Amino acid sequence: MTTTLTLDSKYVTVLEALGNVEDALKDAVRGYAMTHISERIGQIQHEILQLQSQYGLSYEQFYVNITTNEEFVMQLRETHPSWERDLNNWEYYQEELATWLGHLESILKM
Amino acid sequence: MAWPPGEHLENVIAQVRLVLEDVNIVRHDISQVRAILDIEGRWRDYRIIVSEIHRTERDVRYAYYVLDRTNQLIHAFDNSPDNVAIKQRYGTQWKNHLHEEIPHQHHSDGTLTMTPEPITFTTFIAWLEMELQ
């Protein structure tokens, strides 16, 4: 899928002077997207690391335990009385991480 | 729940600000296919936590807590796929229902009981005003 963008003629003049307008725009958009995706991934990874450190488990291990291990859940209630809130946050960040890594991969392949 | 959930989340935040004191919006983020809301506040002497995750392909998963000053659980409503809740509902067949998000509540004595339907922030606040006078 492609989208047509409108560019101020001043920029077109400058970019023509620097070489190919289309290549320059592609580079600029790619650079912008990669910078912002990387920042987003960094923020998400920070949140995930905090949760992993708090529970001493990966998200996958935590999820398996809460759905299959009654003793683990009973113990969790004592140590982390609001663990369901953390589950919500953790799922959000895990799935967002997968989404943004997918975006990054698709840009890197272009 | 309608997608995108922006208006719903704004309504919850507006209600929170009306009902709770010392409100802290810890997380409020909406992406293309999911959204998270995580709020803390105070209601009388109680610490209140409001957590909702919205996903395009699944129902809302929520957790609403009432804690005391020492962080002990007074009451909580949630629909997490908690093994204790799954076993309580399905008994020996629990392994066939591993990922089900079952509406339930936690009591201060550590017991868990089912709720007949999912709880919303509005019904949670109504419960607070009815039960914790």
Side-chain angles (χ1 to χ4, degrees):
Chain A
M1 190 181 78
T2 58
T3 302
T4 304
L5 300 174
T6 307
L7 190 64
D8 192 304
S9 58
K10 284 182 288 189
Y11 291 115
V12 174
T13 306
V14 172
L15 292 175
E16 277 175 345
L18 290 169
N20 183 300
V21 176
E22 195 171 320
D23 286 348
L25 275 180
K26 278 182 187 169
D27 284 349
V29 171
R30 189 171 190 268
Y32 177 90
M34 285 184 61
T35 299
H36 288 276
I37 291 172
S38 299
E39 280 174 10
R40 180 74 177 144
I41 287 173
Q43 289 163 357
I44 292 168
Q45 283 175 329
H46 175 73
E47 297 284 351
I48 290 172
L49 283 174
Q50 281 195 323
L51 287 160
Q52 279 180 356
S53 165
Q54 191 179 335
Y55 287 93
L57 294 168
S58 68
Y59 173 75
E60 291 77 11
Q61 289 167 324
F62 181 79
Y63 187 83
V64 167
N65 282 344
I66 59 131
T67 53
T68 63
N69 186 337
E70 185 172 353
E71 198 176 316
F72 178 85
V73 175
M74 300 297 271
Q75 183 68 30
L76 207 49
R77 182 69 51 210
E78 299 295 321
T79 56
H80 298 80
S82 54
W83 65 263
E84 296 90 345
R85 166 209 212 176
D86 292 329
L87 173 69
N88 289 349
N89 293 331
W90 212 340
E91 177 183 309
Y92 182 79
Y93 289 122
Q94 283 294 140
E95 294 190 355
E96 279 291 285
L97 180 63
T99 298
W100 286 106
L101 286 174
H103 288 321
L104 188 60
E105 190 182 347
S106 68
I107 287 174
L108 289 171
K109 280 181 183 168
M110 286 167 71
Chain B
M1 183 65 65
W3 189 268
E7 192 176 332
H8 165 83
L9 298 181
E10 291 298 338
N11 285 339
V12 171
I13 291 169
Q15 263 187 296
V16 163
R17 291 193 191 285
L18 278 176
V19 175
L20 305 183
E21 294 179 82
D22 302 332
V23 172
N24 177 20
I25 298 172
V26 184
R27 288 178 186 79
H28 176 204
D29 196 21
I30 303 175
S31 74
Q32 287 170 314
V33 292
R34 62 190 72 86
I36 188 84
L37 186 63
D38 182 16
I39 304 177
E40 290 205 23
R42 185 171 57 79
W43 189 80
R44 298 185 182 165
D45 282 341
Y46 300 105
R47 179 182 171 214
I48 305 295
I49 298 172
V50 174
S51 170
E52 293 184 2
I53 179 168
H54 295 250
R55 304 153 297 182
T56 49
E57 303 295 326
R58 288 168 283 175
D59 291 336
V60 177
R61 198 171 65 221
Y62 59 87
Y64 306 117
Y65 300 91
V66 187
L67 301 155
D68 70 11
R69 285 179 176 178
T70 62
N71 228 21
Q72 292 297 303
L73 186 78
I74 301 296
H75 206 90
F77 296 94
D78 72 278
N79 61 347
S80 300
D82 175 330
N83 183 254
V84 178
I86 295 170
K87 281 183 175 170
Q88 193 164 314
R89 171 167 282 187
Y90 295 107
T92 57
Q93 300 300 307
W94 68 272
K95 286 184 181 171
N96 297 329
H97 301 272
L98 274 183
H99 308 293
E100 272 192 34
E101 298 182 344
I102 300 169
H104 60 272
Q105 57 190 323
H106 298 274
H107 304 268
S108 58
D109 62 1
T111 57
L112 176 157
T113 56
M114 300 295 140
T115 55
E117 55 191 25
I119 300 296
T120 64
F121 178 68
T122 305
T123 50
F124 171 63
I125 291 302
W127 181 92
L128 273 183
E129 289 173 348
M130 179 82 78
E131 301 294 331
L132 292 182
Q133 285 300 323

